[in-house]
Amino acid sequence: MTRKTEQSHTLQKRAEKVIPGGVNSPVRAFRSVGCEPPYIVRGQGSHIWDADGNEYVDYIASWGPLILGHATPSVIEAVISAARKGTSFGASTPAEADLAELVISAFPHMQKVRFVSSGTEATMSAIRLARGYTKRKYIVKFEGCYHGHSDALLVKAGSGIATLGIPGSAGVPEEFTQFTLALPYNDTDAIEQAFAKFKHQIACVIVEPVVGNMGCVPPAPGYLEALRAITARDQTLLIFDEVMTGFRLSFGGAQELFGVQPDLTTMGKIIGGGLPVGAYGGPSEIMDLISPLGPVYQAGTLSGNPLAMAAGFATLSYLRDHKDVYAKLDKLAGEVVAAVAAAARDTGVTMCHNRVGSMFTWFFTAGPVTDWTSAAKCDTEAFGRFFRVMLENGIYLPPSQFEAAFLGAAHTESDVRQTIAAAQQAFAMAHT
Ligand code: KE4
């Protein structure tokens, strides 16, 4: 199949003249998979169409938000109805508490939530709150975990364990990352060493309870429990960054699935139903330090935007009322992931995979992939070849080895069959 790409190519060249790389978020440039990005013009259910008329089974789902699929009627109707009354007021609206009450109903530890407009804002604000609450400066994050692009989090691990992070991006002065510790994920010794070295000085540990941003990497058995025990022992706040996993892995996110309760939870993606929403929440004792009640400042012009609230409320209402959807997602995702893995094995292609519920990654390495060090061993060229053949066959995967793919409520057995067939073709070609 030779997919037509002229229209997307023209659109890319036009966009590059006025937008850096032609994209408003780097991963969309397809730089690591060796082809130009299709320009998407429409989505419906589990499918999207590009400017050249090519149709794809979509496993990106806007990087997670569209768990119900594209253009879900209840979501669209809610947004249109809200828009007819105006798009934004910069004032309180009933829709904000509607969504806040629904979000809080999913998390037993949560008494209050503050809405913002992105996951980056959510994690940045939660960290500021943790520092204000504990009056401590140091924070811990993990290599391979991504929590958005605020300066203190754009850090790569220093040399050796429990050494302070070094900037991971140009434009971030080392002073801005000097209080950030970047530790290996799934390594409890590293955490113990850090807390021994920085006893009573660490404000918070922020972690993706199931990592999506080095590809899908689940917590080792007991790891989240260890993080919870070690942080509680030192009065450090544990922040679960559930921007990706919240309402994805279960209605109560990873913390419900694994039975480990953080102090603060950050959210995004699904809670906006495809519109810009982030959030952070926790007990009133901590959340009431946020302005205007307390001394920790945080604000946002479009926070709680009525259209975004409407889209989020419609999406979460469906999930609240159809919790059986999670078992269905788990089953169908299990089918497609296992079948593709079997096809790789049958053709001698070196690949392993991780999956938790409806988020998963096929890694082009023998594996297992348990942390950034093992993820980084992937043959990204092999992933690129796989990605391009899948795209040619109408399967739209995340354009990076180090991302998670998402299956949603609109995906069908037919989508799964098409995906498996495309993978079989890709693996057959891998030996040519
Ligand atoms: P945003 O600022 O992009 O809304 O959220 C940042 C963020 C925070 N926490 C987690 C666990 C996340 O996965 C993200 C953003 N995820 C990426 C995909 N890996 C968004 C895609 C992109 O950067 O374009």
Side-chain angles (χ1 to χ4, degrees), residues 25-28 63 117-121 123 146-149 208 212-213 241-244 269 277 402-403:
S25 199
V27 71
R28 301 180 196 168
W63 299 96
S117 298
S118 70
T120 293
E121 276 189 272
T123 58
Y146 174 71
H147 307 287
H149 62 90
E208 291 185 66
N213 287 291
D241 179 355
E242 297 227 39
V243 166
M244 190 182 286
K269 296 185 193 277
V277 179
F402 307 114
E403 293 285 357

Side-chain angles (χ1 to χ4, degrees), residues 44-120:
Q44 186 64 49
S46 60
H47 288 213
I48 53 177
W49 286 261
D50 72 15
D52 292 280
N54 300 302
E55 181 175 355
Y56 305 95
V57 177
D58 178 22
Y59 285 102
I60 297 184
S62 181
W63 299 96
L66 302 179
I67 192 169
L68 302 185
H70 292 276
T72 304
S74 61
V75 176
I76 299 303
E77 281 147 30
V79 173
I80 290 171
S81 168
R84 286 209 172 94
K85 299 172 197 154
T87 54
S88 179
F89 310 107
S92 293
T93 65
E96 292 157 88
D98 291 344
L99 186 57
E101 289 164 355
L102 184 42
V103 166
I104 287 167
S105 75
F107 300 103
H109 78 92
M110 203 179 287
Q111 293 173 301
K112 292 215 175 82
V113 65
R114 170 62 64 86
F115 291 116
V116 293
S117 298
S118 70
T120 293

Side-chain angles (χ1 to χ4, degrees), residues 123 126-128 130 147 203-209 237-242 262-266:
T123 58
I127 287 167
R128 185 181 307 132
H147 307 287
C204 63
V205 169
I206 185 167
V207 67
E208 291 185 66
L237 296 191
L238 178 59
I239 302 174
F240 273 9
D241 179 355
E242 297 227 39
D263 297 298
L264 293 175
T265 301
T266 56

Side-chain angles (χ1 to χ4, degrees), residues 293-368:
L293 292 182
V296 180
Y297 191 71
Q298 181 267 310
T301 301
L302 295 174
S303 298
N305 171 271
L307 275 59
M309 297 294 102
F313 189 80
T315 300
L316 295 198
S317 297
Y318 180 89
L319 295 171
R320 176 198 58 204
D321 300 339
H322 300 84
K323 289 190 179 119
D324 60 322
V325 73
Y326 291 104
K328 289 177 189 164
L329 294 182
D330 186 50
K331 180 174 179 296
L332 198 57
E335 273 181 37
V336 69
V337 169
V340 169
R345 200 171 41 247
D346 295 348
T347 45
V349 170
T350 302
M351 194 178 87
C352 69
H353 65 270
N354 287 331
R355 177 180 72 85
V356 181
S358 60
M359 63 188 268
F360 59 90
T361 301
W362 290 299
F363 292 100
F364 282 74
T365 181

Side-chain angles (χ1 to χ4, degrees), residues 137-152:
K137 292 188 287 191
Y138 291 92
I139 65 174
V140 170
K141 76 169 293 285
F142 298 93
E143 294 167 280
C145 289
Y146 174 71
H147 307 287
H149 62 90
S150 59
D151 284 343

